[in-house]
Structure formats: structure tokens, C-alpha cells
């Protein structure tokens, strides 16, 4: 039953996607006698947190109930009072949190609840991972002070990033998914080699977009006269830290083999998305150029996207 209610809380959290930035999406469910008596999610920055909304919906039925929340209740005074205190005042008996809060100034909610006599639990295994995965960009942003970086690449079965007789490696379904990924990212980036070769737009097209991502080029200019990209010429980590300070939590890296290897060498890639097309190129560059030493991936997953196969793995698992 715990898994069912926490999964429902995660579904509620997604309703805040796109409106809570820079805060993470969070969902909460209040359960009494095996039934949901209140639910809520963080709807917008500056508004009540998920636990407060769920407690308000439950009213007096929250006393003695169990609260399922996707992120450890906060203890800090920000735009709203601490959620841990609200749970204690409501008289809940038990709190199941999907993950601890990694923010250096916000954690400690479970300890405060435990001191007040509230039973607390953290799920293990796949359920806890899914809760962390839901806000993986925010977790890296608050702990590493840089954006969460996803390296996206399309390759042939023989590992090439180009086909001699076609502009595209991947199929139409994969290319549409890339635009979905762009629309969900705060920034999209390539290197100057890609800029000189393709002069890409890097915007999200043909899919719903709340806000277009920032479009970046890493490397030494100049940019083409008609380019709308933003040139970032400093050391990679320094540029990422500057972007993070400007509110960029997620970066989709679409650069070529040289830029991808540079990011990986400096331990700046968190997740890999590799679209493998059912083609053989026979010539051309591989997906990485100049990478020294092996890098292990975790949480490998594969699924079909049209005629292609999308392989996902983590360099830094949330």
C-alpha cells in the first residue's frame, strides 16, 4: 500500500511541472484508515508546499493519519513556513518521504518529525529512485551548483554519428522526441564545431513549449552572423556554474564528439541518451573523441522509438 500512495503522490507532483521553477515538483497524499482523505502538490513558486495543500484538503482527518510525500518535508522559513512544523501541528502519526532533501539549508525534516514522535520512513530500491529521478535536475543544481547535464547523441549500429548519404542518423520519431527534450530543458548546447558545420537553431519545434530553452555554443567564436546562439567561451565548469547561478537547472548537450568527451573528462555529464539507428555508416566519426579511461553507467534502460532504440544510462545516478 505504501508504494501505491507514494506513486500517487508522484503523479500529483507532475501537475506542478513548469510552474514551480526554481523549486522542485512535490506531491503529497494524506491517508487515514486506508483511504485518501487529502492530496496536494506544489503548484507555484511562493505558494504553499504540497504537504500544506494536502493537510488543508484533509482538515481534521489528518490527525493520526499517514502522509506520503515525494520529498522530505522542509524545515526552513522561506516564502512559506516549514512543512515539518505543519505536519506536527496537524497531528499526523506517520510520514513516508520518497527521498531526503539534499539542499544544504533545507534538510532535517525527518529528524524534526522523529523528535516530535512522528514515525518516519524512507522507501528503498526502485520507488525511492523514481522519486529522486523526478527531480534529478534540481538535486544536482542545489548540491553541485551547476545544471544537470544530459548528453544526447544519435549513432549508427557501428557507432558513427553521421551517415554519408543522409543529413539524419536517427528516424523521425526520435527527432521529434529530441524536440520534446529541448522543450523540457532550461538550456540546449553544442560546440563550435557543430555550429560551423550545421549552424543549428537548437529551439524546440513542432511540440508544446512553455518557454524556449536558452541556446548555447561552447567554444571560441566567432558565431556566424545569422546565429541566434549564446557563445560561452570560458572553462566548462565555470560556465556551468554561471548558468546555474542564473537559474539554469538542466542542460541538454547535443555537441559533437570533441565537446562530449570534454564534458565527460571533466565529470560534467550526468545522464546519457543514445539513439541507435538500424543503419551502418562504415565511415566517419564516433560518438566521442579523445576520451581517456572508461566511464561506467548505471540504471541502463532501452526502449524503441520508431525504428530506433533509445538507450539511457546514468553517469551520476540521482
Amino acid at each position: 500500500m505504501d508504494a501505491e500512495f507514494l506513486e500517487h503522490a508522484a503523479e500529483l507532483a507532475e501537475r506542478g511541472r513548469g510552474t514551480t521553477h526554481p523549486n522542485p515538483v512535490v506531491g503529497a497524499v494524506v491517508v487515514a484508515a486506508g483511504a485518501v482523505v487529502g492530496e496536494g502538490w506544489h503548484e507555484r513558486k511562493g505558494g504553499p508546499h504540497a504537504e500544506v495543500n494536502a493537510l488543508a484538503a484533509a482538515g481534521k482527518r489528518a490527525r493520526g493519519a499517514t502522509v506520503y510525500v515525494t520529498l522530505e518535508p522542509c524545515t526552513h522559513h522561506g516564502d512559506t513556513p516549514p512543512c515539518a512544523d505543519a505536519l506536527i501541528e496537524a497531528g499526523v502519526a506517520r510520514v513516508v518521504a520518497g527521498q531526503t532533501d539534499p539542499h544544504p539549508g533545507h534538510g532535517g525534516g525527518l529528524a524534526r518529525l522523529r523528535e516530535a514522535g512522528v514515525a518516519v520512513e524512507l522507501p528503498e530500491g526502485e520507488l525511492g529512485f523514481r522519486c529522486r529521478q523526478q527531480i534529478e535536475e534540481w538535486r544536482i543544481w542545489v548540491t553541485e551548483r551547476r545544471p544537470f547535464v544530459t548528453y544526447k547523441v544519435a549513432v549508427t549500429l557501428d557507432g558513427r554519428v553521421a551517415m554519408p548519404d543522409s543529413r539524419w542518423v536517427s528516424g523521425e520519431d526520435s527527432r521529434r522526441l529530441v524536440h520534446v527534450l529541448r522543450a523540457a530543458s532550461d538550456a540546449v548546447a553544442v560546440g563550435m564545431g557543430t555550429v560551423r558545420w550545421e549552424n543549428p537553431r537548437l529551439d524546440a519545434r513542432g511540440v508544446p513549449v512553455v518557454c524556449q530553452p536558452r541556446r548555447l555554443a561552447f567554444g571560441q567564436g566567432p558565431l556566424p552572423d545569422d546565429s541566434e546562439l549564446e557563445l560561452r567561451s570560458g572553462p566548462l565548469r565555470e560556465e556551468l556554474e554561471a548558468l546555474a547561478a542564473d537559474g539554469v537547472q538542466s542542460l541538454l548537450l547535443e555537441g559533437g564528439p570533441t565537446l562530449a568527451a570534454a564534458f565527460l573528462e571533466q565529470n560534467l555529464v550526468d545522464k546519457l541518451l543514445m539513439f541507435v539507428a538500424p543503419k551502418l555508416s562504415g565511415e566517419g566519426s564516433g560518438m566521442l573523441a579523445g576520451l581517456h579511461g572508461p566511464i561506467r553507467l548505471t540504471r541502463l534502460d532501452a526502449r524503441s522509438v520508431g525504428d530506433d532504440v533509445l538507450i539511457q544510462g546514468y553517469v551520476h545516478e540521482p
Side-chain angles (χ1 to χ4, degrees):
M1 293 297 288
D2 282 351
E4 174 186 341
F5 292 128
L6 195 54
E7 287 171 353
H8 181 49
E11 293 171 357
L12 292 170
E14 285 300 322
R15 299 185 186 183
R17 183 73 66 183
T19 61
T20 66
H21 192 88
N23 296 342
V25 296
V26 181
V29 176
V30 183
V31 176
V36 174
V37 296
E39 57 185 38
W41 61 95
H42 185 37
E43 299 176 10
R44 66 187 184 281
K45 181 186 182 302
H49 289 185
E51 302 95 313
V52 174
N53 285 331
L55 290 173
K60 295 181 178 179
R61 293 173 296 179
R63 184 163 297 277
T66 295
V67 174
Y68 297 85
V69 59
T70 56
L71 177 64
E72 178 182 24
C74 65
T75 59
H76 75 292
H77 287 267
D79 294 328
T80 61
C83 292
D85 292 351
L87 292 164
I88 293 169
E89 292 171 6
V92 304
R94 178 171 171 254
V95 171
V96 179
Q99 60 190 303
T100 57
D101 189 337
H103 194 293
H106 297 179
L110 295 183
R112 181 175 296 185
L113 290 167
R114 191 180 293 111
E115 291 170 359
V118 179
V120 299
E121 294 181 27
L122 278 170
E124 298 179 354
E126 189 65 24
L127 186 56
F129 168 73
R130 291 205 302 272
C131 288
R132 297 190 301 275
Q133 185 182 43
Q134 188 173 46
I135 56 172
E136 58 190 9
E137 297 93 349
W138 180 83
R139 290 180 64 92
I140 286 292
W141 185 63
V142 299
T143 57
E144 300 293 328
R145 298 179 182 268
R146 64 166 176 81
F148 181 94
V149 176
T150 299
Y151 171 43
K152 184 278 301 180
V153 63
V155 300
T156 61
L157 281 173
D158 54 346
R160 312 293 183 175
V161 294
M163 287 290 294
D165 60 348
S166 173
R167 177 184 178 187
W168 307 108
V169 172
S170 57
E172 183 177 348
D173 290 339
S174 294
R175 297 197 299 273
R176 185 181 189 281
L177 179 54
V178 169
H179 285 278
V180 172
L181 294 169
R182 289 178 179 177
S185 300
D186 294 331
V188 182
V190 294
M192 281 303 301
T194 301
V195 171
R196 296 185 183 102
W197 181 258
E198 299 179 8
N199 194 17
R201 291 168 52 183
L202 298 185
D203 56 339
R205 303 184 297 276
V207 297
V209 182
V210 175
C211 180
Q212 286 286 353
R214 289 175 65 170
R215 293 166 290 160
L216 315 174
F218 287 101
Q220 303 302 313
L223 291 168
D225 291 339
D226 60 344
S227 176
E228 297 182 356
L229 305 188
E230 174 185 339
L231 185 62
R232 314 291 300 204
S233 298
L236 292 181
R237 182 170 288 277
E238 291 182 11
E239 292 289 1
L240 291 183
E241 289 173 351
L243 289 167
D246 206 22
V248 175
Q249 295 186 11
S250 56
L251 172 67
L252 181 64
L253 182 64
E254 298 189 25
T258 301
L259 184 64
F263 266 77
L264 285 163
E265 283 282 358
Q266 297 183 43
N267 201 27
L268 296 175
V269 173
D270 300 292
K271 183 163 66 175
L272 169 70
L273 296 176
M274 183 168 63
F275 293 86
V276 183
K279 305 172 182 177
L280 296 172
S281 174
E283 60 183 54
S285 301
M287 62 179 284
L288 297 172
L291 180 65
H292 302 288
I295 293 176
R296 296 186 181 277
L297 303 179
T298 61
R299 298 280 179 178
L300 284 182
D301 179 69
R303 63 184 177 95
S304 297
V305 180
D307 293 332
D308 304 327
V309 174
L310 173 57
I311 299 175
Q312 174 179 290
Y314 284 92
V315 180
H316 302 129
E317 183 180 319

